[in-house]
Amino acid sequence: MSDARQPRSGRRKGLPDTRTEILNAARGLFARDGFDRTTIRGVAAAAAVDPALIHHYFGTKRQLFLDAIALPVDPAQVLGPLRDVAPEALGETIVRLIIDVWDGGVKEAGVAALKAQIIDPTSSVLRPFVSEILTATLAIHVQDNAQTRIALAASQIGGLLLMRYVIELEPLTTMTAEELAIHIGPTIQRYLTHELPIS
Amino acid sequence: MSDARQPRSGRRKGLPDTRTEILNAARGLFARDGFDRTTIRGVAAAAAVDPALIHHYFGTKRQLFLDAIALPVDPAQVLGPLRDVAPEALGETIVRLIIDVWDGGVKEAGVAALKAQIIDPTSSVLRPFVSEILTATLAIHVQDNAQTRIALAASQIGGLLLMRYVIELEPLTTMTAEELAIHIGPTIQRYLTHELPIS
């Protein structure tokens, strides 16, 4: 809105479009190939720009990744407390953190992101989010079979977000973060830290 | 395509349209008010038809409900075995049955239904499905807090279907029904039959 009061100084050498094109290309490659196998060079080729331009705009591959998946919150801030949590409180803490963040203003952007990913999973940011950010954050707590454990936890957390915020299935919509943490925390705890029934 | 070869015999007294209008009205009311509080009379009013016409087309309210939510499989056939299952095998059996049905040909219709419900939750068939069919089927096994227990189980099952079939998060996509039953069955078992941490 306040933009309207400023005289526009014309297009700045197509800069916004190029940046968007880089982000779109990056999102596609991260979703298809994952974080490790995606390179700045590959993104540059897909967006038909010079790799140096990507370094200029985004600095690092990690920053490009974070900008591409455009999370409505900074995952480091949300998930940071998990690094220091007591091992046996991990499950409840994860549920409480996620619900607090969604209830605290992320809900609308989160529902929109969830819907977009469900409608077009090929450009999903959820898979890279789970495989990069969650895995890195939880690595300290998850000793073996990390991929299986984190995918199982993601299935319960994704289902909770789906039922609470999208389908609005009672009583999941009216329960407090604390109640949900008590009910669902033990499931996350079991998936992440207990001995798996098979591996 | 083959329609083009047959001469059209004119509209048959608007019958297909009326039936569709009744089903649309029914779907809306079942989603909004649930099975018990939705009446044939209410659906007739919403569709602007005579209640006798609904009885003529659908017989019972239950049949109207089943036709309105248009499941790709007959829930009685899928969930029937749950009535006779040993109580301690309930969780694993539910996961195995659902995955077997989805893998056995329901996957495409199921993903489409899941997407449709996520895009427009107000016409969701998922809430009535959970609250009527699942609740009725599981009543024999679930003693107290049925609504809470079944909603918790639905969050895990919905999340599993979402991650396996829509987001395609590994290793959930490549695991067999048996492996998923072993990993996730205990979660469903706990939600449905163990003592709840709070109620």
Side-chain angles (χ1 to χ4, degrees):
Chain A
M1 291 293 146
S2 63
D3 264 24
R5 296 180 198 164
Q6 299 183 320
R8 300 197 71 151
S9 55
R11 284 186 66 184
R12 284 176 261 161
K13 301 176 190 170
L15 187 146
D17 286 342
T18 305
R19 194 172 183 281
T20 303
E21 275 163 29
I22 292 170
L23 287 173
N24 288 341
R27 202 174 296 118
L29 291 186
F30 282 128
R32 198 190 66 189
D33 301 335
F35 182 80
D36 286 339
R37 279 173 294 163
T38 299
T39 61
I40 296 262
R41 187 166 293 275
V43 174
V49 301
D50 192 281
L53 196 63
I54 299 184
H55 285 292
H56 171 70
Y57 284 162
F58 302 99
T60 63
K61 184 168 88 166
R62 174 150 293 276
Q63 191 56 51
L64 173 64
F65 173 73
L66 291 175
D67 286 355
I69 69 176
L71 295 177
V73 287
D74 178 355
Q77 201 183 335
V78 174
L79 299 175
L82 291 182
R83 293 187 190 274
D84 303 321
V85 80
E88 68 276 11
L90 185 63
E92 286 195 9
T93 306
I94 288 174
V95 175
R96 201 180 294 115
L97 273 175
I98 291 175
I99 298 298
D100 279 346
V101 168
W102 279 62
D103 286 352
V106 167
K107 179 185 162 174
E108 286 183 15
V111 169
L114 199 59
K115 285 186 183 182
Q117 288 159 36
I118 288 163
I119 293 160
D120 181 11
T122 59
S123 71
S124 172
V125 301
L126 205 142
R127 261 180 302 169
F129 174 74
V130 170
S131 56
E132 309 309 330
I133 296 176
L134 266 191
T135 305
T137 309
L138 295 175
I140 194 172
H141 297 295
V142 175
Q143 308 300 334
D144 60 301
N145 297 288
Q147 194 192 16
T148 298
R149 291 179 179 281
I150 289 171
L152 289 167
S155 78
Q156 173 62 89
I157 291 165
L160 171 60
L161 298 177
L162 178 70
M163 292 300 171
R164 178 176 171 92
Y165 297 107
V166 182
I167 307 287
E168 300 186 352
L169 182 70
E170 286 294 354
L172 300 180
T173 43
T174 45
M175 280 185 179
T176 64
E178 191 55 34
E179 288 169 331
L180 291 170
I182 290 170
H183 279 299
I184 292 177
T187 298
I188 307 299
Q189 187 76 38
R190 188 171 66 77
Y191 289 153
L192 293 179
T193 67
H194 292 200
E195 194 176 345
L196 289 178
I198 48 173
S199 63
Chain B
M1 292 294 151
S2 62
D3 264 26
R5 297 181 196 165
Q6 298 182 324
R8 299 198 72 148
S9 56
R11 284 185 66 182
R12 285 176 263 163
K13 300 172 188 170
L15 187 146
D17 286 342
T18 306
R19 194 173 182 281
T20 301
E21 277 164 25
I22 292 169
L23 287 174
N24 288 341
R27 202 173 297 118
L29 291 186
F30 282 128
R32 197 189 67 190
D33 301 336
F35 183 81
D36 286 340
R37 278 173 296 165
T38 299
T39 61
I40 296 262
R41 187 166 295 276
V43 173
V49 301
D50 192 281
L53 196 62
I54 297 185
H55 285 293
H56 171 71
Y57 283 160
F58 301 97
T60 62
K61 183 168 89 168
R62 176 150 290 276
Q63 191 56 51
L64 172 64
F65 173 72
L66 291 175
D67 286 355
I69 69 176
L71 296 176
V73 288
D74 177 355
Q77 203 184 333
V78 175
L79 299 174
L82 292 182
R83 292 187 192 276
D84 303 319
V85 82
E88 68 277 12
L90 186 62
E92 285 195 11
T93 307
I94 288 174
V95 175
R96 202 181 294 116
L97 273 175
I98 290 174
I99 298 298
D100 279 345
V101 167
W102 278 61
D103 285 351
V106 167
K107 178 186 162 177
E108 286 183 14
V111 169
L114 200 60
K115 286 185 182 179
Q117 288 159 34
I118 288 163
I119 294 161
D120 181 10
T122 59
S123 71
S124 173
V125 301
L126 205 145
R127 260 180 302 171
F129 174 74
V130 170
S131 56
E132 309 307 331
I133 295 177
L134 266 191
T135 305
T137 309
L138 295 176
I140 194 173
H141 296 293
V142 175
Q143 307 301 334
D144 60 300
N145 297 289
Q147 194 193 14
T148 298
R149 291 178 179 282
I150 289 170
L152 289 167
S155 78
Q156 172 62 86
I157 293 167
L160 171 60
L161 297 178
L162 177 69
M163 292 300 171
R164 178 178 172 87
Y165 297 108
V166 182
I167 306 287
E168 300 186 351
L169 182 71
E170 287 293 357
L172 300 180
T173 43
T174 45
M175 280 186 178
T176 64
E178 190 56 34
E179 288 169 331
L180 291 170
I182 290 171
H183 280 298
I184 292 178
T187 298
I188 308 299
Q189 187 75 37
R190 185 170 68 77
Y191 288 153
L192 293 179
T193 67
H194 292 200
E195 193 175 346
L196 290 178
I198 48 173
S199 64

